[in-house]
Amino acid sequence: MATRHFLSSTNSDLTGGSDWNKYLRYNTSGSPSTISASIAANSIEVQRAFTEPLHPGTKASVTGNFTVKVKVTTGNANANIAITLNRVNSTGTIQASSSTTANQAASAGTKTFTLTSVNLGTFAETDRLRVDYRMTGIAMGAVTITLATEDPDCYIETPFNSRFFIASP
């Protein structure tokens, strides 16, 4: 059974994103909000979202398909978005990564990214899933992209079975 984690506006305890580091909330979306990222011309800015501590907590290797939905509320045709998935340890250090998806135009609307047969290795109980939102400025001048949070159309669907999940502290 697949599980969903919704992009949250709550700051994560792990860091490293260009403009933001947010939580991915397990099977829940809250009060809708937005978050923005500024992308310089001809540059790549990486925003990050992390599952909460002890999620997925699998102690297992899971291979499968992941779907990431990104709802762009204020877009710009002079930018692209792509997605990379990472298994990180409790300090945020990458343990394994997926390939990066193809770019999609960062115009307003819901974007769907599908990553098939992803194997991020064996998760330790304290490992987490990190989603990198790779935003690329493709023209002269900086642009700002705004994404929905706490929204039913802004999530990652994972192949993790819900029985693997351990309650958050």
Side-chain angles (χ1 to χ4, degrees):
M1 180 176 137
T3 58
R4 288 186 179 175
H5 294 264
F6 293 85
L7 181 61
S8 167
S9 57
T10 303
N11 289 329
S12 172
D13 60 322
L14 298 177
T15 60
S18 299
D19 289 316
W20 47 261
N21 304 281
K22 301 298 181 182
Y23 275 125
L24 293 165
R25 297 286 189 197
Y26 170 60
N27 269 352
T28 184
S29 59
S31 299
S33 187
T34 60
I35 50 177
S36 296
S38 298
I39 302 103
N42 302 310
S43 70
I44 298 172
E45 305 280 340
V46 180
Q47 316 309 325
R48 293 181 176 163
F50 301 85
T51 54
E52 297 173 278
L54 301 178
H55 284 255
T58 67
K59 294 188 194 177
S61 179
V62 178
T63 300
N65 301 330
F66 292 77
T67 301
V68 179
K69 285 200 164 196
V70 178
K71 186 174 183 180
V72 180
T73 60
T74 304
N76 192 303
N78 292 319
N80 288 324
I81 301 174
I83 299 292
T84 304
L85 304 178
N86 305 277
R87 175 172 56 91
V88 299
N89 66 16
S90 60
T91 63
T93 302
I94 293 175
Q95 305 299 300
S97 296
S98 70
S99 57
T100 301
T101 65
N103 282 321
Q104 292 190 34
S107 53
T110 301
K111 316 299 175 195
T112 301
F113 299 89
T114 303
L115 297 98
T116 57
S117 300
V118 173
N119 182 351
L120 295 176
T122 301
F123 278 73
E125 185 176 307
T126 56
D127 286 354
R128 300 195 216 175
L129 182 64
R130 182 181 92 192
V131 178
D132 287 350
Y133 298 79
R134 298 175 54 84
M135 300 178 179
T136 306
I138 57 175
M140 303 302 282
V143 297
T144 298
I145 304 299
T146 304
L147 304 183
T149 63
E150 313 287 351
D151 188 286
D153 285 332
C154 203
Y155 61 84
I156 178 170
E157 186 169 271
T158 74
F160 302 128
N161 187 315
S162 60
R163 76 172 191 270
F164 291 132
F165 286 81
I166 299 169
S168 292

